[in-house]
Amino acid sequence: MTSTTTRAQSRHWSRHATKYDELFLDPFEPGVENPILQEIERLPDAGSKVVIDLGCGTGPLLPTLLSRFKEVIAVDFAPAMIDASKARLGAEADRVRFFVRPMDQLDEFEGAVDVSVAINSIVMPDVRDIDRSLAAIRRTLRPGGVFFGVVPAIDAIQYQTMLLLDRELARGTAPAEADRLASQQAEHHLYDFAFGRFAFQGLRQKFWQSFELTYRLRKAGFSSVRLDKVLYPWDSNLPLGDEFRDQPRSWDWAFEARP
Ligand SMILES: C[S@@+](CC[C@H](N)C(=O)[O-])C[C@H]1O[C@@H](n2cnc3c(N)ncnc32)[C@H](O)[C@@H]1O
């Protein structure tokens, strides 16, 4: 049974399919250090393995997966995202099995997948959806299977806020005004920092702390969880990004989880 929230969110994601690249940080862009890509490149015997891309979006990972794996399955609950993936792949799209559905509905792939990948798609605003989806993903995996993912980091927004605040204070701005400016520059009105949520143009997304990621993956039955960071270059995709090039980079959380 698909919930009202899930249906509404799938419509909003569909609406964002055409302008996706303008609005979202892209963990596959040149200049981004993404450990998941290296892990996927390094997997042994990929040519005999089945991979599933969960929340494939406009399909930036699909060409890489097609070039390495025996079989590629792609799931997204937003029909326009699947259309965009197919358009990206052209004739190669026939080699991917596409499914328009929420990723808590994976029963037919139970025990049939070697590698599951979810890049910035475990973002459901209701954590019960997240728990159901993670449990469904774990059940897709064959013995020896692995789940790789990236999720947006809420602590990275707090990190950027710290740098923005310090920049204002160093310019002599009074503390209350420095708070106001940092909050405006980092768009705090879009975030709920206590619960880790982000709302933007109808989309409602989960943003993660690392401890919650470990907690929810373990709760879903993954006994081995390893975290890492996707590191973004300081550029105009981040608030006043060009000014912080001498600072450690901002991040999203990357993980490798095994049952
Ligand atoms: C931020 S985009 C990331 C897309 C792609 N993985 C990438 O890295 O470019 C999130 C994608 O996840 C999909 N998505 C979000 N929640 C989902 C759910 N519960 N079931 C299936 N797809 C979902 C959205 O439709 C969207 O295409």
Side-chain angles (χ1 to χ4, degrees), residues 75-166:
V75 170
D76 203 293
F77 68 179
M81 290 291 186
I82 296 278
D83 291 345
S85 278
K86 288 181 178 167
R88 178 193 293 270
L89 293 175
E92 292 282 276
D94 291 346
R95 296 177 49 216
V96 177
R97 291 171 65 206
F98 284 102
F99 295 86
V100 179
R101 65 171 65 167
M103 68 177 92
D104 59 351
Q105 295 175 18
L106 301 175
D107 286 359
E108 74 195 82
F109 311 115
E110 214 166 304
V113 172
D114 299 289
V115 180
S116 287
V117 187
I119 307 294
N120 280 333
S121 54
I122 309 289
V123 291
M124 303 68 149
D126 182 336
V127 290
R128 294 170 305 175
D129 275 345
I130 289 181
D131 287 346
R132 269 198 308 274
S133 299
L134 292 177
I137 293 165
R138 182 188 47 71
R139 288 194 301 270
T140 64
L141 292 178
R142 288 189 176 135
V146 58
F147 175 31
F148 293 115
V150 174
V151 293
I154 191 87
D155 49 344
I157 310 302
Q158 292 166 319
Y159 171 59
Q160 292 163 27
T161 301
M162 175 194 78
L163 295 177
L164 292 163
L165 177 65
D166 247 33

Side-chain angles (χ1 to χ4, degrees), residues 9 11 25 57 59 62 68-70 76-77 89 93 114 125 143 166 172 204 215 217 236 244 255:
Q9 288 304 299
R11 275 197 300 276
L25 276 186
L62 292 174
R68 298 222 58 217
F69 287 85
K70 178 180 85 172
D76 203 293
F77 68 179
L89 293 175
D114 299 289
D166 247 33
R204 289 164 55 219
Y215 168 81
L217 285 164
S236 56
F244 299 122
F255 64 86

Side-chain angles (χ1 to χ4, degrees), residues 60-79:
L61 189 57
L62 292 174
T64 305
L65 299 182
L66 272 177
S67 71
R68 298 222 58 217
F69 287 85
K70 178 180 85 172
E71 189 181 333
V72 179
I73 304 165
V75 170
D76 203 293
F77 68 179

Side-chain angles (χ1 to χ4, degrees), residues 143-209:
V146 58
F147 175 31
F148 293 115
V150 174
V151 293
I154 191 87
D155 49 344
I157 310 302
Q158 292 166 319
Y159 171 59
Q160 292 163 27
T161 301
M162 175 194 78
L163 295 177
L164 292 163
L165 177 65
D166 247 33
R167 171 181 173 277
E168 285 303 330
L169 294 173
R171 288 149 61 104
T173 309
E177 177 63 0
D179 279 7
R180 194 190 65 76
L181 287 170
S183 167
Q184 188 183 61
Q185 289 151 353
E187 301 185 305
H188 285 188
H189 60 289
L190 303 177
Y191 295 92
D192 176 336
F193 288 100
F195 288 100
R197 294 182 194 134
F198 170 74
F200 173 70
Q201 293 185 1
L203 289 177
R204 289 164 55 219
Q205 285 181 259
K206 173 75 186 160
F207 267 55
W208 293 79
Q209 291 274 5

